[in-house]
Amino acid sequence: MDAPTSRPDHAEDEAAVIAEHITIKRDRLLASLTLIAGIGLVFAIPFALRAGAEFFLPVTAALVIAVALVPLLEWFERRGLPSALSALSCVIIFLGVMAFALLSIVIPAIDWVALLPERIGRVREALEPILAMVKDLERFVDRILRQLPSSAEGGARTVQVETPNSMFDLLTSSAPHALIQLFFALLVIYFFLSGWTAMRKQTITSRGSFEGALTTARVIQQVVAATSTYLGTITLINVTLGTLVAGILWWMGMDSPLMWGGIVAVLNYIPYLGPIAAALLLALGGLISFSDPWTALLPPLIFIGMHMVEANAITPLVVGKRVRINPLLILLSLSFWAWVWGTTGALLAIPLLIILKTVFAAAGTPDIAGFLFEQGTLTHAGEEDEEHPAPAQEA
């Protein structure tokens, strides 16, 4: 009696297994297509950003600055100012700080560039021992090359050196374009801040569920808090470092100490490469200002020592507790955005990395390893495992 009923059950089990197998194949196919499309998009986005830098660069920089100014906007709104007036106050404060920073650096820099041809002789005198050593090495290499069999000589090669444009021509040609981009960026900052409160409220209330609204509010708050905290803390550290460097250079008698302090503060926003560039510029400034080569080396050496203390003790102590980023990700982000947008991209590399890291932590990141080596989904649920680690198994 049981035999006839077992056959239909066996057929149903086989059908269920086949259906499950087909479902898995379909999910894997859809996931593979999504992965291929995502990889193609990842490779296409950098070239699009680089080609459209005139539009994407000021917009991205303005949005990062606006996100960092949100706490100041909310401070004004809590004191009864309307959103439009609060946004205008934030833009005026930012514009004033930026104008002071630029004027303290650009105007003395123009004077330094004008004095460079007159003081180049002092630099040559300070570098005379190094230049002599280089000449001796060049003579030694020439003697070695003369002893090697020479190849057939080609035609004479003509090298044409173009005379560089003057500083005035450079400023007059680039200033209008820069002013237009600056005005556009300020408009983006103002309209973003003026509509921030209403936009955030509409984004949260438009979610279909309470859990979705709560997640959206948490992500927005985390992005604003992480970006503003990092930029505010790093700005305070860099300004303090630049002020100390300027004070020491003033005590040493070096020209334009405020300019050098501003250069140090701005370049210190760029990890790894910025301090190297600042030390090289300080070495050049020391050679121009002082005739003694050992005295000329004091400004870069003093800055290197202060930077080592700041980078290894102060910044990890202050920033490390609030924002934790893998150094490898910092290096990759720095190289990527510097390749896309140059120096400005390098300045934006860490804030953009913080924003993307915060969003991916809440929304989920692609689980490529799980897709390739397991039968799992394409994404996982963020970084919950880091916040709630699994209990250790007993041996």
Side-chain angles (χ1 to χ4, degrees):
M1 298 293 293
D2 296 336
T5 58
S6 61
R7 293 180 179 176
D9 293 340
H10 183 68
E12 291 177 359
D13 293 339
E14 290 182 353
V17 171
I18 294 174
E20 183 179 0
H21 185 69
I22 293 175
T23 303
I24 293 175
K25 290 293 186 181
R26 183 193 61 190
D27 293 341
R28 297 283 290 181
L29 178 61
L30 293 176
S32 61
L33 293 177
T34 304
L35 182 61
I36 293 172
I39 293 175
L41 186 63
V42 166
F43 279 101
I45 285 178
F47 295 97
L49 293 175
R50 191 174 183 180
E54 293 186 0
F55 172 77
F56 291 113
L57 177 56
V59 170
T60 305
L63 291 178
V64 170
I65 295 171
V67 170
L69 291 175
V70 166
L72 182 60
L73 172 76
E74 295 176 345
W75 185 85
F76 282 122
E77 289 181 344
R78 285 195 298 268
R79 275 141 186 86
L81 288 180
S83 298
L85 186 57
S86 300
L88 182 61
S89 302
C90 293
V91 172
I92 292 175
I93 293 174
F94 168 73
L95 191 59
V97 172
M98 186 180 65
F100 173 76
L102 289 178
L103 291 178
S104 63
I105 296 176
V106 173
I107 293 179
I110 295 176
D111 298 334
W112 273 80
V113 172
L115 292 175
L116 186 59
E118 301 177 2
R119 299 187 179 182
I120 195 67
R122 180 182 298 179
V123 177
R124 292 182 62 87
E125 292 178 1
L127 296 178
E128 189 64 30
I130 300 177
L131 295 176
M133 184 176 62
V134 172
K135 289 180 180 178
D136 293 339
L137 180 62
E138 184 179 359
R139 294 192 192 99
F140 174 75
V141 173
D142 289 340
R143 287 196 301 266
I144 296 298
L145 292 178
R146 290 193 194 102
Q147 296 176 1
L148 297 177
S150 59
S151 58
E153 296 183 357
R157 185 176 299 176
T158 304
V159 178
Q160 182 178 0
V161 179
E162 296 182 359
T163 305
N165 295 328
S166 63
M167 180 64 67
F168 178 77
D169 294 337
L170 182 62
L171 291 177
T172 54
S173 61
S174 60
H177 181 69
L179 290 177
I180 292 174
Q181 285 193 333
L182 177 61
F183 180 71
F184 176 68
L186 291 176
L187 288 179
V188 173
I189 294 174
Y190 171 76
F191 285 114
F192 180 89
L193 292 176
S194 62
W196 167 256
T197 302
M199 179 177 60
R200 181 180 59 180
K201 182 178 180 181
Q202 182 181 2
T203 303
I204 295 174
T205 56
S206 62
R207 300 301 95 194
S209 62
F210 176 76
E211 183 180 357
L214 187 63
T215 302
T216 303
R218 185 175 67 252
V219 171
I220 293 175
Q221 182 62 31
Q222 288 176 352
V223 169
V224 171
T227 306
S228 60
T229 298
Y230 173 80
L231 288 179
T233 307
I234 289 298
T235 299
L236 180 61
I237 293 174
N238 292 347
V239 170
T240 304
L241 178 63
T243 303
L244 292 176
V245 171
I248 294 175
L249 296 181
W250 173 80
W251 177 76
M252 293 179 59
M254 190 169 176
D255 297 334
S256 305
L258 186 61
M259 177 196 72
W260 293 111
I263 291 175
V264 166
V266 172
L267 291 178
N268 206 49
Y269 280 98
I270 304 176
Y272 309 127
L273 301 180
I276 296 175
L280 293 176
L281 290 176
L282 284 173
L284 178 61
L287 291 173
I288 294 176
S289 300
F290 306 106
S291 57
D292 184 18
W294 299 109
T295 306
L297 291 178
L298 285 179
L301 292 177
I302 291 173
F303 164 71
I304 291 173
M306 297 177 66
H307 171 70
M308 294 297 291
V309 175
E310 173 265 325
N312 295 283
I314 299 176
T315 299
L317 181 64
V318 177
V319 181
K321 294 181 178 180
R322 303 179 182 182
V323 180
R324 295 182 179 180
I325 307 177
N326 191 336
L328 179 60
L329 292 179
I330 293 177
L331 185 60
L332 293 177
S333 178
L334 178 64
S335 60
F336 173 78
W337 292 109
W339 171 73
V340 173
W341 289 334
T343 305
T344 308
L347 291 172
L348 296 173
I350 306 303
L352 290 175
L353 178 61
I354 291 174
I355 293 174
L356 294 176
K357 182 176 180 295
T358 305
V359 173
F360 283 145
T365 54
D367 188 11
I368 299 179
F371 169 75
L372 293 176
F373 304 110
E374 299 178 4
Q375 293 185 358
T377 58
L378 185 62
T379 59
H380 62 83
E383 298 181 349
E384 295 180 359
D385 294 339
E386 297 182 0
E387 299 178 359
H388 306 285
Q393 295 182 357
E394 297 182 357

